[in-house]
Amino acid sequence: MYSKSPDNLSFNPLDLLQNLLAKNYDLVSQQFIEILEHFDQNTYLELPNDSRYFVNAFVKNFLYIFTQSDYLISDRYVERLIQFNLTISNLVAISDFKSTDPYLEILKNQPQNFAKILTLCSARNSFKFQRRDFFNASPALANLWYSCYLEIYRTGLVNRIVYQNLREHLVYEDERLTDFYKIDDLYFGATYIDGDSDRFLKSKINQSIQNSNLIKNLVIYNQPNPRKVAIISGLWLPAHSVYRILSDCIASLKDDYELTLIHLGDRQLEIDQQHFQDVKYLQFQNNQLDISSIQNNDFNVVYFPDIGMSAQSILLSNLRIAPIQICGLGHPVSTFGSEIDYFISGADAEVTRNAEVNYSERLVLLNGLGAVNNHPNYQSKQSLDIKTLRDATDGKSQFIINCPWYAQKVNYPLLILLKKIVQDSKRPILFRFFSGGGLIRKNDFLPFVHEVTQVLGVENVKVYPYLPYQEYMTIMEEGDICLDSYHFGGFNVIIDSLFLQKPTVVFEGKRWYSRAGARLIKKIGLGDLVAKNPTEYTQLSLKLINNHDFLWEMQERVRQIDLNGLVFQSTNSQYFKKAIDFLIQNHEYLRGDRSRKPIRIS
């Protein structure tokens, strides 16, 4: 009997069983891989009954056959099946089976069980295992599994078990942990898992890159021209958050320096080429990093706005391309051990006494936040006086709270704070999560929605997948207030919320990514909305919900803010240029200076 999905994917359970009995194990593996590839590449945003039936039928047959002791996986299929670790975990999570824990217990004492356990064992499991046993059995496969296990950071941190497992996994030490799969996911994701422990994994990844033939065989010939500056990014797009906070900084260099944009990745993207005398393209070719466009260069400075947001940026940060190498706030986290000399940030948002803990680079501090905000490209749909706004809010069946957080920013402790808000609110609550593009891979979307609604209640949650900016802002405009995420906060989303005149509760932490928003809110006179601990976060949120007078006061104060004068100040970019000038003039001295104290530019 065939089982067929609405999108014409099908399998025959009887064929699978007959191939198993006939010991045609490779045919079984091939059919598993074919179906798993479909779910790996096609994300379901809903699961109607016919689709749910197919998912349940496949999961039931897959887990049953996969855990049979006589089913053997040929070596040529082992790595591919382990790479499906997250896809399988998500697929089981959206099925009625929910977890592979019982099947891991079945496998535990089976012979030839190693590859099967690595395939089924994800961060969703309560199944107990010793990572060192995996490395003892096969370091190569254990390295692959270690990386695949971490991929769930994008959406799984809302689950208590996943949250705990990933934080433990992140700091696992083993001298044989030397190779990494999908380094951009690991490098980028580490900070969202645990901002206090990401240094360990990122330094291991840098060491692995520096020891690899991929880097060792690359030779750069540099004859620096003092006026040549290269910007290396794959995200220099007007709509992207990196561009929105750093484009004015780059523009400040155009009169005194010759600028080159080195674009990483897709040539089809509509990158902004203004201010650049030259644009070069750099891509992976046949699993190799093709650096021919920059191998012979005359750059004196290379500036990376967003190391960690692409594999190419991570690899290139471990090369010495130019004498002076700098990174910035597009992804506001230290590289922790690459070939970057300086990190340019803002004095108002950094805890300077922690500079050597938070950065492996020498910290360079500009006046202000270190970023220059672009004016949002959006025309407000509302132009209401405060009385009309009050009447509209009072007339709503639910109090709408905007949570414009990429899915990896939503974690279990934060979800518990939101649950407290639901429990203590005097009004029905609707949290709107704007999860971005992170939920459209490997069927991440539905497991994330399930975990969030399980904690907060389905009636209190709406999760949006990726939305075009105009549509995102239109829906955001319907909200009553906005909450910032923690421990990894937002910045552009706070700008969007202020532009839409929404009171925003912000959680102030100890690094730029959890301080910049709070410092901005304080600067514009809204310090009453800044929380320094979980209790304050829930109290402030509930005060806005339950105390109408406080809500109206905050709304009126937001409406009175001179955003153009206080937030969208392009003149702040002058400090970025001063920093580049200073580093060029003093790099030789700074290179020999043993002090790691931050450099202040004013």
Side-chain angles (χ1 to χ4, degrees):
M1 181 179 66
Y2 281 89
S3 182
K4 189 172 183 178
S5 74
D7 41 11
N8 293 319
L9 182 68
S10 65
F11 76 98
N12 187 332
L14 185 58
D15 282 351
L16 285 170
L17 287 171
Q18 287 175 340
N19 283 325
L20 177 69
L21 293 172
K23 301 186 179 181
N24 294 325
Y25 303 134
D26 284 359
L27 290 177
V28 175
S29 298
Q30 288 168 15
Q31 188 160 12
F32 283 159
I33 288 170
E34 179 183 340
I35 296 173
L36 290 170
E37 281 179 343
H38 170 83
F39 287 109
D40 191 77
Q41 298 166 15
N42 297 276
T43 293
Y44 289 71
L45 300 182
E46 58 182 2
L47 204 65
N49 288 338
D50 46 2
S51 296
R52 178 173 294 279
Y53 177 84
F54 180 84
V55 168
N56 279 328
F58 173 70
V59 169
K60 178 177 69 174
N61 284 277
F62 169 73
L63 292 176
Y64 173 75
I65 292 173
F66 195 78
T67 54
Q68 294 300 305
S69 58
D70 52 348
Y71 165 58
L72 302 178
I73 305 172
S74 298
D75 289 347
R76 59 179 153 165
Y77 297 118
V78 167
E79 289 189 6
R80 188 69 185 115
L81 285 166
I82 294 172
Q83 289 167 4
F84 283 124
N85 182 282
L86 176 56
T87 304
I88 293 168
S89 179
N90 283 339
L91 198 56
V92 175
I94 65 177
S95 77
D96 293 334
F97 291 82
K98 302 305 178 189
S99 169
T100 60
D101 273 328
Y103 297 90
L104 287 166
E105 291 294 339
I106 290 171
L107 289 172
K108 186 165 60 176
N109 297 314
Q110 276 188 13
Q112 298 179 296
N113 62 359
F114 183 55
K116 295 180 183 180
I117 288 177
L118 295 187
T119 300
L120 296 187
C121 182
S122 79
R124 281 199 175 91
N125 291 114
S126 300
F127 174 75
K128 299 302 180 185
F129 60 91
Q130 294 296 323
R131 291 171 178 82
R132 187 159 292 274
D133 290 343
F134 292 172
F135 279 86
N136 289 340
S138 170
L141 293 180
N143 270 275
L144 175 61
W145 168 81
Y146 176 92
S147 296
C148 294
Y149 189 96
L150 282 170
E151 277 192 88
I152 201 173
Y153 83 90
R154 290 193 302 269
T155 58
L157 289 167
V158 291
N159 178 292
R160 178 182 59 83
I161 294 172
V162 173
Y163 179 79
Q164 293 171 346
N165 282 340
L166 288 187
R167 289 165 72 87
E168 178 184 327
H169 196 73
L170 187 67
V171 295
Y172 172 70
E173 295 190 52
D174 196 300
E175 63 281 0
R176 296 160 296 182
L177 180 56
T178 56
D179 292 320
F180 299 94
Y181 173 69
K182 292 190 175 179
I183 59 170
D184 47 340
D185 263 327
L186 307 186
Y187 194 98
F188 179 76
T191 306
Y192 297 96
I193 295 169
D194 188 345
D196 292 325
S197 301
D198 56 345
R199 183 178 196 131
F200 174 78
L201 179 58
K202 292 176 79 171
S203 63
K204 293 277 286 186
I205 292 172
N206 287 324
Q207 290 170 17
S208 174
I209 293 169
Q210 292 161 14
N211 292 332
S212 71
N213 289 331
L214 184 65
I215 291 296
K216 285 183 176 179
N217 294 334
L218 299 180
V219 180
I220 298 288
Y221 302 98
N222 173 258
Q223 294 183 312
N225 178 332
R227 296 188 65 246
K228 290 289 188 76
V229 175
I231 314 302
I232 302 181
S233 175
L235 304 169
W236 208 245
L237 314 166
H240 200 280
S241 58
V242 172
Y243 181 96
R244 287 179 62 187
I245 65 170
L246 294 174
S247 59
D248 279 351
C249 293
I250 300 307
S252 72
L253 305 177
K254 63 183 175 61
D255 292 333
D256 289 349
Y257 296 98
E258 294 180 30
L259 303 180
T260 298
L261 176 63
I262 300 170
H263 176 67
L264 308 178
D266 188 356
R267 284 175 176 260
Q268 304 304 314
L269 294 176
E270 295 181 3
I271 57 177
D272 179 15
Q273 300 186 31
Q274 66 174 328
H275 311 316
F276 296 103
Q277 279 74 35
D278 192 13
V279 177
K280 298 181 182 294
Y281 296 88
L282 192 150
Q283 294 178 288
F284 276 114
Q285 297 286 349
N286 300 320
N287 294 321
Q288 296 294 316
L289 188 61
D290 179 8
I291 64 165
S292 57
S293 62
I294 62 169
Q295 191 159 21
N296 292 277
N297 74 72
D298 57 358
F299 308 135
N300 192 36
V301 176
V302 293
Y303 175 72
F304 294 82
D306 45 63
I307 295 174
M309 298 187 74
S310 68
Q312 297 100 315
S313 68
I314 300 166
L315 294 170
L316 290 171
S317 73
N318 282 283
L319 277 176
R320 178 56 62 175
I321 300 169
I324 304 170
Q325 306 202 146
I326 307 167
C327 64
L329 292 168
H331 185 231
V333 188
S334 172
T335 66
F336 291 126
S338 71
E339 286 289 321
I340 302 299
D341 305 302
Y342 307 103
F343 192 107
I344 296 181
S345 185
D348 287 358
E350 294 286 355
V351 180
T352 55
R353 66 179 180 274
N354 290 342
E356 293 183 46
V357 174
N358 293 344
Y359 296 96
S360 60
E361 305 82 11
R362 184 82 177 264
L363 189 58
V364 179
L365 297 174
L366 312 184
N367 273 4
L369 299 174
V372 181
N373 309 105
N374 284 359
H375 198 281
N377 180 25
Y378 178 73
Q379 182 66 45
S380 176
K381 303 293 189 297
Q382 295 181 5
S383 180
L384 305 178
D385 58 39
I386 192 66
K387 181 181 184 305
T388 305
L389 188 63
R390 290 185 186 187
D391 292 343
T393 302
D394 287 342
K396 289 180 180 178
S397 60
Q398 289 180 301
F399 190 88
I400 300 174
I401 300 178
N402 293 330
C403 300
W405 315 334
Y406 280 114
Q408 68 265 15
K409 292 185 178 183
V410 194
N411 53 62
Y412 184 73
L414 179 56
L415 215 54
I416 295 305
L417 296 186
L418 301 188
K419 182 178 180 180
K420 173 71 172 173
I421 292 170
V422 170
Q423 291 172 337
D424 292 353
S425 171
K426 296 176 182 177
R427 309 174 65 177
I429 296 295
L430 177 64
F431 292 107
R432 285 180 169 173
F433 290 87
F434 298 86
S435 57
L439 290 179
I440 58 174
R441 293 187 285 175
K442 298 179 181 287
N443 266 287
D444 279 332
F445 183 79
L446 289 177
F448 177 81
V449 173
H450 172 75
E451 296 290 354
V452 172
T453 55
Q454 192 172 46
V455 174
L456 299 180
V458 66
E459 70 280 6
N460 299 314
V461 172
K462 171 67 176 176
V463 180
Y464 294 91
Y466 172 78
L467 296 172
Y469 185 72
Q470 297 296 317
E471 187 175 348
Y472 150 76
M473 288 290 277
T474 299
I475 297 173
M476 282 268 288
E477 198 164 9
E478 297 172 358
D480 295 302
I481 65 171
C482 179
L483 301 184
D484 192 23
S485 53
Y486 186 81
H487 69 276
F488 201 112
F491 192 66
N492 280 298
V493 294
I494 293 174
I495 300 298
D496 291 339
S497 298
L498 292 172
F499 181 76
L500 295 173
Q501 301 181 349
K502 305 300 177 186
T504 303
V505 176
V506 179
F507 204 133
E508 184 172 12
K510 52 190 177 182
R511 290 178 170 80
W512 193 94
Y513 57 72
S514 60
R515 291 177 60 81
R519 303 305 292 183
L520 176 65
I521 291 290
K522 288 182 176 180
K523 174 185 174 182
I524 61 178
L526 296 173
D528 291 346
L529 296 177
V530 175
K532 291 191 174 181
N533 58 60
T535 300
E536 286 186 7
Y537 186 85
T538 54
Q539 287 177 343
L540 282 174
S541 301
L542 287 164
K543 190 174 181 181
L544 286 170
I545 298 165
N546 294 334
N547 186 331
H548 286 209
D549 290 340
F550 182 66
L551 174 63
W552 307 141
E553 178 190 348
M554 291 299 106
Q555 286 182 333
E556 184 61 24
R557 282 164 63 176
V558 171
R559 287 164 61 88
Q560 296 302 321
I561 294 169
D562 177 14
L563 291 177
N564 289 327
L566 294 174
V567 177
F568 305 120
Q569 292 180 318
S570 60
T571 55
N572 281 350
S573 61
Q574 65 179 306
Y575 299 112
F576 183 84
K577 182 181 180 299
K578 285 183 178 181
I580 299 298
D581 294 342
F582 177 86
L583 295 176
I584 290 173
Q585 294 164 11
N586 296 279
H587 178 63
E588 288 302 318
Y589 166 76
L590 293 171
R591 191 165 61 171
D593 181 13
R594 294 188 175 183
S595 171
R596 302 298 299 164
K597 290 183 179 179
I599 300 165
R600 181 68 184 262
I601 306 294
S602 59

